[in-house]
Amino acid sequence: MHHERPSFLWYNGKMTPWDDATIHVSEMGWSTIGAVFEGIRGYWNEDQGELHIYRLREHMERLQRSMKLVHLPLDYSVDELIEATVELARVNDCRHDTYFFPMAYTADTYFARFDGLEVKTSLQILTRPLPSHLGGDKKMHAKISSWRRISEDVMPPRVKNLSNYRNGQLARQEVGIDGYDTAILLNTHGKVSEGPGACVMLVRDGKLITPDLTSGILESITRDAILVLAREVLGIPVEERVVDRTELYVADEVFLCGTAAEISPIVSVDRYPIGDGNVGLITRELDRVYEASLRATDSSYAEWRTPVGLAATVPA
Ligand code: PMP
């Protein structure tokens, strides 16, 4: 792991030296409750000497939707945000698996009420190294949290509003104290929703099943990719529908998926062993084809990747 700070971040339209991007502590109050963000990964391909950013356009389009929902004005086009991200990876010379963290929040809040509509947006994009755990031996024990997933009538679960993350944080803390690795949250109807910062999928009788987009989940880009790969590459049927809690207990395989979570196998839920208690075959196959689509080890799904252009440059 590298622990030094990157040279630059993108801050309100400018490539800005890391140490110059400061704001006053008085902005700590209201500036982030309506903030929205993205989590995007770039994967390093050692043979090509190239970094590939995964589904960058879809992430920036979701940022645009998130901003619309929380009434934050966006002063840039999706194309400008894509170009800014690519340029940032180049100037920071990101020759390793990289996490990109764009965040939009309310600027100049000291004299503002928290509920005003006349807001000015600040927007930044950060990079940091984040190694992949795909192809590894990650195994998690999950517990259904007693916290329910936020629902449409309270907060907007389908977008990446920073305030939403108190929900997953409480769930993860609760089950962590009880000795589990991760939480699964039910929605207000008592049906399966998602994990803290990741979607949940299960395999039963050779079918891949995941809660539908009205189950109180984020409109996840990884979830979409996994469903496409399962259907098109592995040729297995997929179902997006309401999922019962006890379906998890009797599933053959369960895993979480998301940009940061990638594919994270779950081997027990509420101490019910899943399948034979080991990582299942379809989970391992999905891990393999997902990694190929991210890291560009073959040419399929090239439309999902944005090469940064590092292959054409000398390391800094
Ligand atoms: N749900 C939540 C609440 C999340 O924060 C994330 C991570 N962004 C996901 C699901 C997975 O979404 P994605 O695949 O787009 O990263």
Side-chain angles (χ1 to χ4, degrees):
M1 264 309 236
H2 315 236
H3 283 294
E4 70 273 20
R5 301 290 180 265
S7 305
F8 294 95
L9 58 100
W10 187 91
Y11 183 46
N12 289 334
K14 290 196 202 72
M15 222 43 89
T16 306
W18 184 269
D19 290 336
D20 295 353
T22 58
I23 60 169
H24 195 267
V25 289
S26 60
E27 294 296 318
M28 285 288 287
W30 298 122
S31 63
T32 60
I33 63 165
V36 297
F37 70 104
E38 270 305 319
I40 308 168
R41 273 192 192 251
Y43 285 82
W44 178 245
N45 183 310
E46 184 66 40
D47 294 336
Q48 300 168 2
E50 185 60 283
L51 185 78
H52 296 270
I53 307 181
Y54 199 61
R55 304 195 72 174
L56 179 55
R57 178 168 298 276
E58 290 92 328
H59 280 283
M60 290 309 186
E61 286 172 353
R62 187 170 64 187
L63 183 68
Q64 202 177 33
R65 289 198 299 279
S66 295
M67 292 180 76
K68 175 181 179 178
L69 242 148
V70 300
H71 303 289
L72 271 180
L74 176 57
D75 306 318
Y76 306 93
S77 67
V78 165
D79 284 318
E80 285 171 323
L81 296 175
I82 290 171
E83 186 41 46
T85 309
V86 168
E87 181 61 21
L88 183 64
R90 267 199 300 256
V91 299
N92 281 340
D93 204 41
C94 298
R95 293 173 191 272
H96 41 68
D97 291 351
T98 299
Y99 190 70
F100 296 88
F101 180 27
M103 185 173 93
Y105 55 97
T106 323
D108 299 336
T109 54
Y110 186 62
F111 286 108
R113 282 176 57 94
F114 75 96
D115 55 356
L117 272 174
E118 289 301 308
V119 297
K120 201 177 120 202
T121 304
S122 243
L123 177 56
Q124 67 204 25
I125 307 174
L126 311 182
T127 59
R128 69 180 160 89
L130 185 63
S132 169
H133 63 254
L134 288 165
D137 52 7
K138 188 169 179 178
K139 281 184 200 157
M140 298 198 301
H141 298 277
K143 178 175 165 56
I144 307 288
S145 172
S146 69
W147 294 100
R148 292 290 171 100
R149 174 68 177 159
I150 52 165
S151 64
E152 278 276 332
D153 53 351
V154 179
M155 300 271 275
R158 80 183 58 250
V159 296
K160 281 182 85 72
N161 182 349
L162 205 74
S163 299
N164 289 356
Y165 285 75
R166 173 64 82 209
N167 184 223
Q169 186 184 54
L170 284 166
R172 173 67 185 80
Q173 289 170 338
E174 178 194 29
V175 306
I177 289 165
D178 286 346
Y180 296 80
D181 306 310
T182 193
I184 293 172
L185 290 93
L186 304 180
N187 61 28
T188 47
H189 305 292
K191 303 298 184 180
V192 175
S193 181
E194 57 178 16
C199 285
V200 57
M201 298 206 172
L202 63 108
V203 176
R204 194 175 179 196
D205 299 331
K207 246 186 294 179
L208 185 67
I209 303 163
T210 195
D212 67 275
L213 291 173
T214 63
S215 292
I217 69 173
L218 181 78
E219 292 185 343
S220 155
I221 291 160
T222 312
R223 172 186 177 281
D224 175 78
I226 301 288
L227 291 175
V228 169
L229 294 169
R231 232 185 291 117
E232 295 181 1
V233 183
L234 302 186
I236 60 177
V238 303
E239 280 181 12
E240 297 174 65
R241 60 167 175 77
V242 172
V243 173
D244 278 336
R245 171 185 192 153
T246 52
E247 284 185 90
L248 295 173
Y249 300 159
V250 297
D252 303 318
E253 306 181 27
V254 178
F255 61 90
L256 295 182
C257 68
T259 298
E262 300 179 313
I263 291 178
S264 296
I266 288 176
V267 294
S268 78
V269 179
D270 293 342
R271 303 291 182 211
Y272 286 98
I274 303 303
D276 64 3
N278 289 303
V279 179
L281 187 63
I282 289 176
T283 306
R284 276 186 277 129
E285 284 290 284
L286 282 169
D287 184 288
R288 187 177 57 75
V289 299
Y290 183 51
E291 181 165 23
S293 87
L294 298 160
R295 215 179 279 288
T297 47
D298 66 44
S299 59
S300 54
Y301 299 99
E303 68 279 12
W304 283 351
R305 298 185 293 267
T306 304
V308 161
L310 286 176
T313 64
V314 183

